[in-house]
Amino acid sequence: MSLLVGIVGAGPAGLLLGRLLQRAGIDSVVFESRDRGYVERRQRAGILEQGTVDTLRAAGAADRLDREGIPHDGIDLVFDGAAHRVDFLGTTGARVWIHAQTEVVKDLVALRLDDGLPLLFDTEVRAVTDLDGRPTVHHDGGSLVCDYVVGCDGFHGVTRGLVPGPVHERAFPYSWLGILADAPPVHHELVYAHSRRGFALASMRSPSVSRLYLQVLNGESPDAWPDSRIWTELEHRLADHRPHRGPITAKSVLPMRASVAENLRNGPLFLAGDAAHIVPPTGAKGLNLAASDVTLLAAAFDQLNRTGSPALLDAYEDTALHRVWRAQHFSHFMTTTLHLAPDQSEFDTHLQLARLRHLTSSRAATTALAENYTGIAL
Ligand code: FAD
Ligand code: DHB
């Protein structure tokens, strides 16, 4: 039995699925509405969990990650104006890696094109039909009949709407202003800061490039944030971790929302990654969930291809959603522990500070945070 899987979207989910299927000897065609440069430059996530790194290694797509990725063994939590380290390695034996989504995507694109496998840029999928038989992908260049189709086309894609069922959502009353700056990182590990002026996060892309985020109001324009205002605000919120100033090369506002589709399957069509769920970014789970979804799907297609058994494919929705809801809960916990809501009372702020003190003083609480951040194997 030889399978053909149509993959809608060449973000991390679609590209990694294509690579894993290739390793399992299964054919796939990847359709991407944007051009290669756009997909490779889109500035997004930066943290890879151990499980994601393991999958990239098993897929033969981790050469540059192993050379350039920066392992992190913990984070700093700033509150009450002081920094407190959360030790991941010492409590759980696990760590995470700084390796930007842009780099993961560039490597997966290059591998697929070098291997001569179909990756069609500038090819938007308009519809997927025949979901009660062999699904047909209708795209800008024509149509393709497949055995299965996986929607990896993100939150604004076309496949989400083809899987009926409720979608559970939550909007947050704040957004993030994210910048890239040609400046050395604030600290050798990430800094998540709670302050009475709002949340701040200091991350990095390399030893000379910082990635920094500030909580801002919903609907805020980046134009309201000239460079000097950003640096001053970061200095206030990051307390003793004073940022190094440098030229700001990118600036954008990201809304924060949570969304989980109750169903991830309609016959031969499956949803994975942001097409299936969105988490608020505090906790760095989005890219890692996309990777774990397609790792499950690739193993399921492999089982079907080798043995004819659909058992893993039939279990996909439940298995994936347990992990998604764990990550959703952790992202919600990190978000609501660290951000100030516009209507927040002094009581609420004291509860946040009590939670932060507990997280950094109880070994059990620290371990739970570390397990969730580095990725619980479910
Ligand atoms: P995507 O990366 O969205 O890829 C979907 C692909 O499908 C895109 O290339 C799109 O062009 C393509 N597509 C869409 N419709 C069609 C169609 N009809 N036909 C063909 N192709 C189509 N996570 C973090 O952990 N930390 C962060 O800091 C962070 N920042 C983020 C910032 C932004 C602005 C966004 C949107 C997300 C961010 N995330 C972050 C989340 C993380 O980047 C995503 O979870 C991750 O990109 C999911 O990968 P994906 O492949 O599922 O979807
Ligand atoms: C990054 C983004 C996150 O949302 C996070 O929690 C940690 C790091 C980043 O872009 O580097």
Side-chain angles (χ1 to χ4, degrees):
M1 178 167 166
S2 172
L3 294 177
L4 175 62
V5 179
I7 299 176
V8 188
L15 290 165
L16 181 56
L17 178 61
R19 179 73 183 170
L20 293 169
L21 292 179
Q22 177 191 356
R23 306 288 272 194
I26 297 170
D27 292 334
S28 66
V29 177
V30 181
F31 302 94
E32 167 57 51
S33 54
R34 314 302 292 247
D35 63 39
R36 179 177 179 177
Y38 181 90
V39 168
E40 291 186 344
R41 280 193 291 271
R42 204 167 24 198
Q43 196 49 240
R44 288 184 167 180
I47 289 274
L48 304 185
E49 292 173 2
Q50 181 70 57
T52 306
V53 170
D54 292 344
T55 301
L56 287 166
R57 284 183 179 150
D63 288 0
R64 219 152 54 84
L65 161 63
D66 282 329
R67 278 199 313 277
E68 298 170 17
I70 308 172
H72 280 192
D73 297 345
I75 54 170
D76 264 17
L77 286 177
V78 168
F79 55 91
D80 268 343
H84 308 258
R85 182 155 190 274
V86 176
D87 179 5
F88 297 160
L89 196 65
T91 49
T92 66
R95 51 164 56 131
V96 295
W97 272 257
I98 282 281
H99 191 60
Q101 182 166 332
T102 46
E103 308 314 298
V104 174
V105 165
K106 274 185 215 158
D107 288 351
L108 288 167
V109 167
L111 285 167
R112 191 165 177 95
L113 295 178
D114 286 352
D115 290 338
L117 297 180
L119 168 50
L120 310 178
F121 288 109
D122 297 306
T123 305
E124 182 164 346
V125 170
R126 307 280 174 187
V128 184
T129 58
D130 302 282
L131 295 179
D132 48 3
R134 293 191 76 208
T136 304
V137 176
H138 301 271
H139 56 88
D140 284 342
S143 59
L144 180 74
V145 179
C146 303
D147 295 298
Y148 292 92
V149 174
V150 182
C152 298
D153 47 346
F155 194 65
H156 302 288
V158 68
T159 59
R160 251 160 57 81
L162 301 174
V163 176
V167 176
H168 307 291
E169 296 189 306
R170 172 149 307 174
F172 293 86
Y174 28 72
S175 300
W176 279 12
L177 174 75
I179 64 160
L180 268 182
D182 289 333
V186 167
H187 183 55
H188 69 279
E189 292 176 338
L190 266 55
V191 181
Y192 289 80
H194 174 278
S195 87
R196 289 184 177 266
R197 304 172 69 102
F199 170 72
L201 167 59
S203 181
M204 64 194 74
R205 288 293 175 266
S206 74
S208 56
V209 175
S210 290
R211 176 84 169 142
L212 297 145
Y213 300 95
L214 283 171
Q215 175 188 345
V216 296
L217 296 171
N218 278 345
E220 189 93 312
S221 162
D223 299 339
W225 288 85
D227 295 3
S228 61
R229 182 178 176 204
I230 293 175
W231 291 118
T232 307
E233 195 59 33
L234 284 165
E235 282 163 10
H236 282 303
R237 297 190 194 180
L238 292 169
D240 291 343
H241 285 305
R242 270 186 90 78
H244 306 281
R245 294 189 179 205
I248 294 178
T249 56
K251 198 188 285 186
S252 59
V253 171
L254 328 172
M256 302 193 51
R257 61 183 159 223
S259 160
V260 183
E262 187 156 309
N263 300 316
L264 306 184
R265 175 177 194 174
N266 183 3
L269 171 68
F270 292 84
L271 300 179
D274 278 18
H277 41 72
I278 300 281
V279 288
T282 334
K285 290 293 164 207
L287 171 59
N288 293 293
L289 280 180
S292 72
D293 285 353
V294 298
T295 304
L296 292 173
L297 276 174
F301 285 125
D302 183 37
Q303 182 190 56
L304 181 68
N305 192 46
R306 281 185 301 102
T307 70
S309 164
L312 287 178
L313 215 45
D314 290 343
Y316 169 70
E317 276 184 313
D318 280 351
T319 317
L321 284 172
H322 282 162
R323 190 181 180 96
V324 168
W325 279 111
R326 172 92 306 280
Q328 195 67 262
H329 175 261
F330 176 64
S331 306
H332 186 273
F333 170 84
M334 291 289 279
T335 300
T336 55
T337 300
L338 289 164
H339 292 71
L340 294 195
D343 59 352
Q344 182 155 323
S345 68
E346 199 55 23
F347 190 93
D348 296 325
T349 305
H350 281 290
L351 287 182
Q352 289 179 322
L353 289 168
R355 201 188 268 183
L356 286 162
R357 274 182 225 115
H358 183 233
L359 281 174
T360 50
S361 60
S362 148
R363 189 171 171 90
T366 300
T367 306
L369 195 168
E371 275 179 358
N372 277 286
Y373 196 101
T374 58
I376 294 177
L378 288 175

PDB file of all heavy atoms in Angstrom, residues 43-47 98 176 190 192 201 203-205 211 213 280-285 373, ligand 2:
ATOM      1  N   GLN A  43       8.954  36.336  11.349  1.00  0.00           N
ATOM      2  CA  GLN A  43       9.545  36.334  12.696  1.00  0.00           C
ATOM      3  C   GLN A  43       8.524  35.826  13.712  1.00  0.00           C
ATOM      4  O   GLN A  43       7.505  36.451  13.941  1.00  0.00           O
ATOM      5  CB  GLN A  43       9.975  37.767  13.023  1.00  0.00           C
ATOM      6  CG  GLN A  43      10.926  37.915  14.169  1.00  0.00           C
ATOM      7  CD  GLN A  43      12.131  36.973  14.117  1.00  0.00           C
ATOM      8  OE1 GLN A  43      12.329  36.178  15.026  1.00  0.00           O
ATOM      9  NE2 GLN A  43      12.922  37.060  13.077  1.00  0.00           N
ATOM     10  N   ARG A  44       8.805  34.688  14.329  1.00  0.00           N
ATOM     11  CA  ARG A  44       7.847  34.134  15.294  1.00  0.00           C
ATOM     12  C   ARG A  44       8.563  33.526  16.492  1.00  0.00           C
ATOM     13  O   ARG A  44       9.304  34.193  17.176  1.00  0.00           O
ATOM     14  CB  ARG A  44       6.931  33.140  14.598  1.00  0.00           C
ATOM     15  CG  ARG A  44       5.939  33.855  13.677  1.00  0.00           C
ATOM     16  CD  ARG A  44       4.992  32.905  13.089  1.00  0.00           C
ATOM     17  NE  ARG A  44       3.857  33.572  12.459  1.00  0.00           N
ATOM     18  CZ  ARG A  44       2.884  32.926  11.879  1.00  0.00           C
ATOM     19  NH1 ARG A  44       2.885  31.615  11.848  1.00  0.00           N
ATOM     20  NH2 ARG A  44       1.882  33.583  11.339  1.00  0.00           N
ATOM     21  N   ALA A  45       8.364  32.231  16.721  1.00  0.00           N
ATOM     22  CA  ALA A  45       8.811  31.625  17.978  1.00  0.00           C
ATOM     23  C   ALA A  45      10.328  31.451  18.045  1.00  0.00           C
ATOM     24  O   ALA A  45      11.019  31.513  17.039  1.00  0.00           O
ATOM     25  CB  ALA A  45       8.125  30.275  18.135  1.00  0.00           C
ATOM     26  N   GLY A  46      10.819  31.164  19.259  1.00  0.00           N
ATOM     27  CA  GLY A  46      12.259  31.034  19.443  1.00  0.00           C
ATOM     28  C   GLY A  46      12.717  29.897  20.333  1.00  0.00           C
ATOM     29  O   GLY A  46      13.906  29.608  20.395  1.00  0.00           O
ATOM     30  N   ILE A  47      11.778  29.236  21.030  1.00  0.00           N
ATOM     31  CA  ILE A  47      12.182  28.212  22.008  1.00  0.00           C
ATOM     32  C   ILE A  47      11.758  26.820  21.539  1.00  0.00           C
ATOM     33  O   ILE A  47      10.590  26.600  21.203  1.00  0.00           O
ATOM     34  CB  ILE A  47      11.504  28.494  23.378  1.00  0.00           C
ATOM     35  CG1 ILE A  47      12.107  29.724  24.029  1.00  0.00           C
ATOM     36  CG2 ILE A  47      11.586  27.298  24.296  1.00  0.00           C
ATOM     37  CD1 ILE A  47      13.347  29.454  24.848  1.00  0.00           C
ATOM     38  N   ILE A  98      17.284  27.667  22.424  1.00  0.00           N
ATOM     39  CA  ILE A  98      16.965  28.844  21.620  1.00  0.00           C
ATOM     40  C   ILE A  98      17.382  28.526  20.191  1.00  0.00           C
ATOM     41  O   ILE A  98      18.570  28.270  19.925  1.00  0.00           O
ATOM     42  CB  ILE A  98      17.761  30.076  22.102  1.00  0.00           C
ATOM     43  CG1 ILE A  98      17.133  30.653  23.359  1.00  0.00           C
ATOM     44  CG2 ILE A  98      17.842  31.158  21.030  1.00  0.00           C
ATOM     45  CD1 ILE A  98      15.909  31.512  23.120  1.00  0.00           C
ATOM     46  N   TRP A 176       1.161  41.899  22.891  1.00  0.00           N
ATOM     47  CA  TRP A 176       2.617  42.045  23.035  1.00  0.00           C
ATOM     48  C   TRP A 176       3.147  42.939  21.925  1.00  0.00           C
ATOM     49  O   TRP A 176       2.773  42.772  20.753  1.00  0.00           O
ATOM     50  CB  TRP A 176       3.320  40.693  22.894  1.00  0.00           C
ATOM     51  CG  TRP A 176       3.320  39.837  24.109  1.00  0.00           C
ATOM     52  CD1 TRP A 176       2.595  40.013  25.247  1.00  0.00           C
ATOM     53  CD2 TRP A 176       4.089  38.627  24.287  1.00  0.00           C
ATOM     54  NE1 TRP A 176       2.866  38.987  26.130  1.00  0.00           N
ATOM     55  CE2 TRP A 176       3.770  38.129  25.565  1.00  0.00           C
ATOM     56  CE3 TRP A 176       5.002  37.922  23.498  1.00  0.00           C
ATOM     57  CZ2 TRP A 176       4.339  36.946  26.070  1.00  0.00           C
ATOM     58  CZ3 TRP A 176       5.559  36.747  23.997  1.00  0.00           C
ATOM     59  CH2 TRP A 176       5.238  36.283  25.273  1.00  0.00           C
ATOM     60  N   LEU A 190      16.523  33.315  29.517  1.00  0.00           N
ATOM     61  CA  LEU A 190      15.377  34.208  29.294  1.00  0.00           C
ATOM     62  C   LEU A 190      14.915  34.835  30.611  1.00  0.00           C
ATOM     63  O   LEU A 190      15.023  34.208  31.676  1.00  0.00           O
ATOM     64  CB  LEU A 190      14.214  33.417  28.685  1.00  0.00           C
ATOM     65  CG  LEU A 190      14.136  33.461  27.155  1.00  0.00           C
ATOM     66  CD1 LEU A 190      15.420  33.006  26.520  1.00  0.00           C
ATOM     67  CD2 LEU A 190      12.958  32.653  26.651  1.00  0.00           C
ATOM     68  N   TYR A 192      11.544  36.512  32.342  1.00  0.00           N
ATOM     69  CA  TYR A 192      10.103  36.800  32.337  1.00  0.00           C
ATOM     70  C   TYR A 192       9.839  37.724  33.526  1.00  0.00           C
ATOM     71  O   TYR A 192      10.082  37.336  34.673  1.00  0.00           O
ATOM     72  CB  TYR A 192       9.286  35.516  32.515  1.00  0.00           C
ATOM     73  CG  TYR A 192       9.284  34.579  31.319  1.00  0.00           C
ATOM     74  CD1 TYR A 192      10.345  33.725  31.057  1.00  0.00           C
ATOM     75  CD2 TYR A 192       8.187  34.546  30.454  1.00  0.00           C
ATOM     76  CE1 TYR A 192      10.327  32.867  29.965  1.00  0.00           C
ATOM     77  CE2 TYR A 192       8.154  33.679  29.358  1.00  0.00           C
ATOM     78  CZ  TYR A 192       9.230  32.850  29.124  1.00  0.00           C
ATOM     79  OH  TYR A 192       9.212  31.988  28.046  1.00  0.00           O
ATOM     80  N   LEU A 201       9.386  40.461  28.552  1.00  0.00           N
ATOM     81  CA  LEU A 201      10.144  39.224  28.313  1.00  0.00           C
ATOM     82  C   LEU A 201      11.391  39.560  27.520  1.00  0.00           C
ATOM     83  O   LEU A 201      11.312  40.238  26.502  1.00  0.00           O
ATOM     84  CB  LEU A 201       9.274  38.229  27.533  1.00  0.00           C
ATOM     85  CG  LEU A 201       9.960  36.994  26.925  1.00  0.00           C
ATOM     86  CD1 LEU A 201      10.645  36.139  27.984  1.00  0.00           C
ATOM     87  CD2 LEU A 201       8.923  36.140  26.165  1.00  0.00           C
ATOM     88  N   SER A 203      14.245  37.803  25.473  1.00  0.00           N
ATOM     89  CA  SER A 203      14.740  36.592  24.843  1.00  0.00           C
ATOM     90  C   SER A 203      15.875  36.971  23.889  1.00  0.00           C
ATOM     91  O   SER A 203      16.400  38.101  23.956  1.00  0.00           O
ATOM     92  CB  SER A 203      13.589  35.879  24.116  1.00  0.00           C
ATOM     93  OG  SER A 203      14.030  34.683  23.503  1.00  0.00           O
ATOM     94  N   MET A 204      16.247  36.042  23.047  1.00  0.00           N
ATOM     95  CA  MET A 204      17.410  36.293  22.169  1.00  0.00           C
ATOM     96  C   MET A 204      17.282  35.468  20.907  1.00  0.00           C
ATOM     97  O   MET A 204      16.502  34.506  20.846  1.00  0.00           O
ATOM     98  CB  MET A 204      18.696  35.912  22.901  1.00  0.00           C
ATOM     99  CG  MET A 204      18.781  34.441  23.224  1.00  0.00           C
ATOM    100  SD  MET A 204      20.066  34.022  24.409  1.00  0.00           S
ATOM    101  CE  MET A 204      19.388  34.605  25.947  1.00  0.00           C
ATOM    102  N   ARG A 205      18.025  35.844  19.895  1.00  0.00           N
ATOM    103  CA  ARG A 205      18.120  35.032  18.689  1.00  0.00           C
ATOM    104  C   ARG A 205      19.545  34.526  18.467  1.00  0.00           C
ATOM    105  O   ARG A 205      19.758  33.549  17.778  1.00  0.00           O
ATOM    106  CB  ARG A 205      17.639  35.822  17.459  1.00  0.00           C
ATOM    107  CG  ARG A 205      16.143  36.028  17.417  1.00  0.00           C
ATOM    108  CD  ARG A 205      15.409  34.701  17.206  1.00  0.00           C
ATOM    109  NE  ARG A 205      13.948  34.845  17.288  1.00  0.00           N
ATOM    110  CZ  ARG A 205      13.248  34.642  18.395  1.00  0.00           C
ATOM    111  NH1 ARG A 205      13.834  34.254  19.514  1.00  0.00           N
ATOM    112  NH2 ARG A 205      11.937  34.787  18.409  1.00  0.00           N
ATOM    113  N   ARG A 211      15.671  39.518  21.294  1.00  0.00           N
ATOM    114  CA  ARG A 211      14.243  39.530  20.981  1.00  0.00           C
ATOM    115  C   ARG A 211      13.536  39.906  22.281  1.00  0.00           C
ATOM    116  O   ARG A 211      13.696  39.208  23.299  1.00  0.00           O
ATOM    117  CB  ARG A 211      13.813  38.141  20.499  1.00  0.00           C
ATOM    118  CG  ARG A 211      12.325  38.003  20.245  1.00  0.00           C
ATOM    119  CD  ARG A 211      11.929  38.489  18.878  1.00  0.00           C
ATOM    120  NE  ARG A 211      10.560  38.133  18.513  1.00  0.00           N
ATOM    121  CZ  ARG A 211       9.746  38.953  17.831  1.00  0.00           C
ATOM    122  NH1 ARG A 211      10.146  40.152  17.463  1.00  0.00           N
ATOM    123  NH2 ARG A 211       8.529  38.563  17.519  1.00  0.00           N
ATOM    124  N   TYR A 213       9.979  41.607  24.360  1.00  0.00           N
ATOM    125  CA  TYR A 213       8.534  41.811  24.294  1.00  0.00           C
ATOM    126  C   TYR A 213       8.070  42.654  25.480  1.00  0.00           C
ATOM    127  O   TYR A 213       8.582  42.515  26.593  1.00  0.00           O
ATOM    128  CB  TYR A 213       7.793  40.480  24.360  1.00  0.00           C
ATOM    129  CG  TYR A 213       8.111  39.480  23.258  1.00  0.00           C
ATOM    130  CD1 TYR A 213       9.076  38.489  23.455  1.00  0.00           C
ATOM    131  CD2 TYR A 213       7.439  39.512  22.038  1.00  0.00           C
ATOM    132  CE1 TYR A 213       9.347  37.553  22.460  1.00  0.00           C
ATOM    133  CE2 TYR A 213       7.712  38.582  21.045  1.00  0.00           C
ATOM    134  CZ  TYR A 213       8.661  37.606  21.261  1.00  0.00           C
ATOM    135  OH  TYR A 213       8.933  36.674  20.278  1.00  0.00           O
ATOM    136  N   PRO A 280      -1.714  31.438  23.931  1.00  0.00           N
ATOM    137  CA  PRO A 280      -1.026  32.714  24.132  1.00  0.00           C
ATOM    138  C   PRO A 280       0.479  32.429  24.257  1.00  0.00           C
ATOM    139  O   PRO A 280       0.845  31.356  24.750  1.00  0.00           O
ATOM    140  CB  PRO A 280      -1.623  33.248  25.435  1.00  0.00           C
ATOM    141  CG  PRO A 280      -2.186  32.062  26.139  1.00  0.00           C
ATOM    142  CD  PRO A 280      -2.566  31.069  25.072  1.00  0.00           C
ATOM    143  N   PRO A 281       1.343  33.337  23.798  1.00  0.00           N
ATOM    144  CA  PRO A 281       2.752  32.976  23.638  1.00  0.00           C
ATOM    145  C   PRO A 281       3.550  32.812  24.931  1.00  0.00           C
ATOM    146  O   PRO A 281       4.617  32.194  24.898  1.00  0.00           O
ATOM    147  CB  PRO A 281       3.327  34.122  22.797  1.00  0.00           C
ATOM    148  CG  PRO A 281       2.389  35.260  23.003  1.00  0.00           C
ATOM    149  CD  PRO A 281       1.045  34.671  23.249  1.00  0.00           C
ATOM    150  N   THR A 282       3.047  33.308  26.067  1.00  0.00           N
ATOM    151  CA  THR A 282       3.814  33.206  27.313  1.00  0.00           C
ATOM    152  C   THR A 282       4.001  31.724  27.654  1.00  0.00           C
ATOM    153  O   THR A 282       3.019  31.044  27.942  1.00  0.00           O
ATOM    154  CB  THR A 282       3.045  33.884  28.475  1.00  0.00           C
ATOM    155  OG1 THR A 282       2.194  34.884  27.944  1.00  0.00           O
ATOM    156  CG2 THR A 282       3.979  34.459  29.498  1.00  0.00           C
ATOM    157  N   GLY A 283       5.225  31.236  27.607  1.00  0.00           N
ATOM    158  CA  GLY A 283       5.452  29.812  27.839  1.00  0.00           C
ATOM    159  C   GLY A 283       5.961  29.108  26.602  1.00  0.00           C
ATOM    160  O   GLY A 283       6.402  27.965  26.676  1.00  0.00           O
ATOM    161  N   ALA A 284       5.900  29.789  25.439  1.00  0.00           N
ATOM    162  CA  ALA A 284       6.579  29.331  24.216  1.00  0.00           C
ATOM    163  C   ALA A 284       6.122  27.961  23.729  1.00  0.00           C
ATOM    164  O   ALA A 284       6.920  27.106  23.397  1.00  0.00           O
ATOM    165  CB  ALA A 284       8.096  29.329  24.446  1.00  0.00           C
ATOM    166  N   LYS A 285       4.815  27.742  23.688  1.00  0.00           N
ATOM    167  CA  LYS A 285       4.315  26.407  23.348  1.00  0.00           C
ATOM    168  C   LYS A 285       3.878  26.235  21.888  1.00  0.00           C
ATOM    169  O   LYS A 285       3.748  25.108  21.408  1.00  0.00           O
ATOM    170  CB  LYS A 285       3.115  26.056  24.247  1.00  0.00           C
ATOM    171  CG  LYS A 285       3.510  25.818  25.677  1.00  0.00           C
ATOM    172  CD  LYS A 285       4.351  24.570  25.807  1.00  0.00           C
ATOM    173  CE  LYS A 285       5.070  24.513  27.128  1.00  0.00           C
ATOM    174  NZ  LYS A 285       6.296  23.753  27.096  1.00  0.00           N
ATOM    175  N   TYR A 373       7.400  23.718  31.208  1.00  0.00           N
ATOM    176  CA  TYR A 373       8.132  24.578  30.270  1.00  0.00           C
ATOM    177  C   TYR A 373       8.975  23.738  29.310  1.00  0.00           C
ATOM    178  O   TYR A 373       9.027  23.997  28.108  1.00  0.00           O
ATOM    179  CB  TYR A 373       9.025  25.563  31.037  1.00  0.00           C
ATOM    180  CG  TYR A 373       9.512  26.722  30.191  1.00  0.00           C
ATOM    181  CD1 TYR A 373       8.903  27.978  30.279  1.00  0.00           C
ATOM    182  CD2 TYR A 373      10.564  26.565  29.297  1.00  0.00           C
ATOM    183  CE1 TYR A 373       9.343  29.041  29.499  1.00  0.00           C
ATOM    184  CE2 TYR A 373      11.004  27.625  28.510  1.00  0.00           C
ATOM    185  CZ  TYR A 373      10.389  28.853  28.630  1.00  0.00           C
ATOM    186  OH  TYR A 373      10.812  29.908  27.847  1.00  0.00           O
TER     187      TYR A 373
HETATM  188  C1  DHB B   2      10.141  33.663  22.815  1.00  0.00           C
HETATM  189  C2  DHB B   2       8.780  33.794  22.717  1.00  0.00           C
HETATM  190  C3  DHB B   2       7.988  33.378  23.765  1.00  0.00           C
HETATM  191  O1  DHB B   2       6.655  33.486  23.684  1.00  0.00           O
HETATM  192  C4  DHB B   2       8.541  32.846  24.912  1.00  0.00           C
HETATM  193  O2  DHB B   2       7.739  32.476  25.935  1.00  0.00           O
HETATM  194  C5  DHB B   2       9.900  32.701  24.997  1.00  0.00           C
HETATM  195  C6  DHB B   2      10.701  33.111  23.938  1.00  0.00           C
HETATM  196  C7  DHB B   2      10.989  34.122  21.697  1.00  0.00           C
HETATM  197  O3  DHB B   2      10.453  34.624  20.704  1.00  0.00           O
HETATM  198  O4  DHB B   2      12.220  33.995  21.789  1.00  0.00           O
END
